Amino acid sequence: MVDDAAVEQLRDRIIADAGGALAVPLAFLGDKLGLFAALHSCGPATSAKLAERAGLAERYVREWLLVMAASGYVTYVGTTGDGSATSATYRMSPEQVEIFVNTESPSYMAGAFQTFSAAPRMLDRLAEAFRTGAGIGWHEHDDDTFVGTERFFRGAYKANLVGSWIPALDGVEQKLISGGRAADVGCGLGASTIIMAKAYPATEWVGVDYHEQSVELARSRAAEAGVGDRITFQVASASELSGKYDFISFLDCLHDMPDPVAALSAARAALSPGGRVMLVEPMSSDAVVDQLTPLGRLMAGGSVFICLPSGLSAPPAAGLGNQAGPSRTAEIAAEAGFGHTRVATSNPFNMVYELRP
């Protein structure tokens, strides 16, 4: 027998999810058009005032504000006169500013909206991949995926990389302070490499990524940040790592690699005596029940669109996905020749592993 109350509950959940699915790309559009920043800078505003400030058409801005206010992304202040949408006033709360406007905030999330707006553009390719089991390389995604991912992770790296993750490793921070040689594998657009190079100027840094377009952007961003002379960026796969290093990092990238064992094996071979590998992965669990949460849904959804197809895009097509779990991650490290793997620290979003031979 069908439980009518359960049907209604599920229907309400779908309505909320569908509204969110529309709000995400519209929030990215607002970020792209400068609407959040304009609303913050001009203070409480009607759609007409905001449209004038942003140089946009009022009628579109009016409807956009309704969606954002209903989503909790901007704050509805009130209306005057007849209470119509044209007289409604909106503002950005301090918390909304942290999420949508303050690019230096560890809570800045605009990049997530960019990434998750880009992911569904691959839906036709993904449907074919479901049928064939083939993968979709990272390099095959829309440019917004690359830029959005960097924007999404940059805040977490600024908040944690130097402040808590590296200090949690055995003897690594002191080596980087005194001067060593370090590699950032899967560096993407270079956000993490630049942060570490700024914090540890005595160390020689190498950023490695197979995606040429990302490496080009990383070089220009390092130059703009004033650390271009401290970082050498290389277009190469993770398994092609060469030279010797005191410290090697893999930040949110190992699970995307078709051959994570080869990548970690190359890192182990490249470690200097006493060297360490820091592996940062999304929070995950070995138990399915632990993943049935809002964060677990977000992580697994991102994995289906981006991480898993990338991990299946070339032999041996390990296809880890971003919810592989600590046990599988430790197994891969052991297969690559690391005798010691431990979780050095964690937060609600990340697990930080320390690997040594």
Side-chain angles (χ1 to χ4, degrees):
M1 176 179 287
V2 174
D3 184 335
D4 291 339
V7 170
E8 184 175 352
Q9 184 179 31
L10 179 57
R11 183 197 63 198
D12 290 345
R13 173 65 179 271
I14 292 170
I15 289 172
D17 287 351
L22 295 173
V24 166
L26 287 173
F28 171 49
L29 182 64
D31 170 67
K32 190 174 183 177
L33 296 175
L35 280 164
F36 291 111
L39 184 58
H40 171 52
S41 65
C42 70
T46 63
S47 57
K49 181 179 178 182
L50 180 58
E52 181 180 6
R53 182 65 175 254
L56 300 171
E58 184 276 336
R59 186 63 188 89
Y60 280 101
V61 173
R62 190 195 319 166
E63 213 86 346
W64 180 85
L65 282 166
L66 285 175
V67 179
M68 294 301 103
S71 301
Y73 299 165
V74 306
T75 300
Y76 168 67
V77 177
T79 57
T80 59
D82 61 1
S84 65
T86 55
S87 68
T89 300
Y90 304 87
R91 67 177 177 86
M92 298 290 293
S93 71
E95 296 77 20
Q96 290 160 348
V97 170
E98 288 296 286
I99 296 290
F100 290 103
V101 180
N102 182 8
T103 59
E104 298 303 311
S105 169
S107 299
Y108 182 64
M109 292 284 289
F113 291 88
Q114 185 171 5
T115 300
F116 299 135
S117 294
R121 297 170 196 168
M122 300 295 289
L123 200 58
D124 289 343
R125 286 285 309 276
L126 189 61
E128 185 61 22
F130 265 70
R131 296 185 182 99
T132 66
I136 303 170
W138 170 260
H139 62 282
E140 297 180 81
H141 283 274
D142 188 275
D143 286 352
D144 277 331
T145 301
F146 314 135
V147 177
T149 298
E150 189 267 352
R151 294 176 74 198
F152 183 27
F153 285 117
R154 189 194 312 149
Y157 294 159
K158 284 184 176 180
N160 299 294
L161 190 49
V162 173
S164 60
W165 293 349
I166 290 176
L169 307 177
D170 183 20
V172 170
E173 184 173 45
Q174 187 54 51
K175 182 63 177 179
L176 296 178
I177 291 172
S178 61
R181 194 162 187 262
D184 187 19
V185 180
C187 66
L189 275 63
S192 53
T193 326
I194 291 167
I195 290 169
M196 292 187 287
K198 282 184 174 181
Y200 307 111
T203 289
E204 175 190 351
W205 293 91
V206 177
V208 179
D209 200 289
Y210 91 99
H211 187 226
E212 186 172 0
Q213 181 182 345
S214 292
V215 170
E216 289 174 358
L217 282 171
R219 287 172 179 147
S220 64
R221 292 186 178 193
E224 291 170 4
V227 292
D229 59 335
R230 301 180 204 166
I231 308 172
T232 300
F233 287 103
Q234 300 176 353
V235 178
S237 73
S239 61
E240 295 173 327
L241 188 65
S242 60
K244 288 294 181 181
Y245 301 92
D246 304 295
F247 172 65
I248 301 172
S249 61
F250 291 78
L251 303 182
D252 294 293
C253 64
L254 187 77
H255 62 265
D256 294 314
M257 297 179 182
D259 195 348
V261 173
L264 288 182
S265 296
R268 183 186 182 282
L271 279 180
S272 299
R276 297 287 188 274
V277 167
M278 180 176 72
L279 175 62
V280 178
E281 285 288 294
M283 177 56 70
S284 62
S285 171
D286 296 324
V288 170
V289 67
D290 294 336
Q291 300 172 336
L292 304 181
T293 65
L295 179 61
R297 180 173 73 154
L298 176 66
M299 294 291 192
S303 187
V304 172
F305 271 105
I306 302 172
C307 309
L308 178 59
S310 180
L312 294 171
S313 62
L320 286 182
N322 67 30
Q323 294 296 289
S327 294
R328 182 62 184 132
T329 301
E331 287 173 3
I332 290 168
E335 289 175 37
F338 286 96
H340 304 274
T341 298
R342 72 180 181 98
V343 177
T345 186
S346 65
N347 60 37
F349 304 101
N350 299 99
M351 300 188 76
V352 180
Y353 300 87
E354 178 181 350
L355 280 57
R356 59 187 177 90

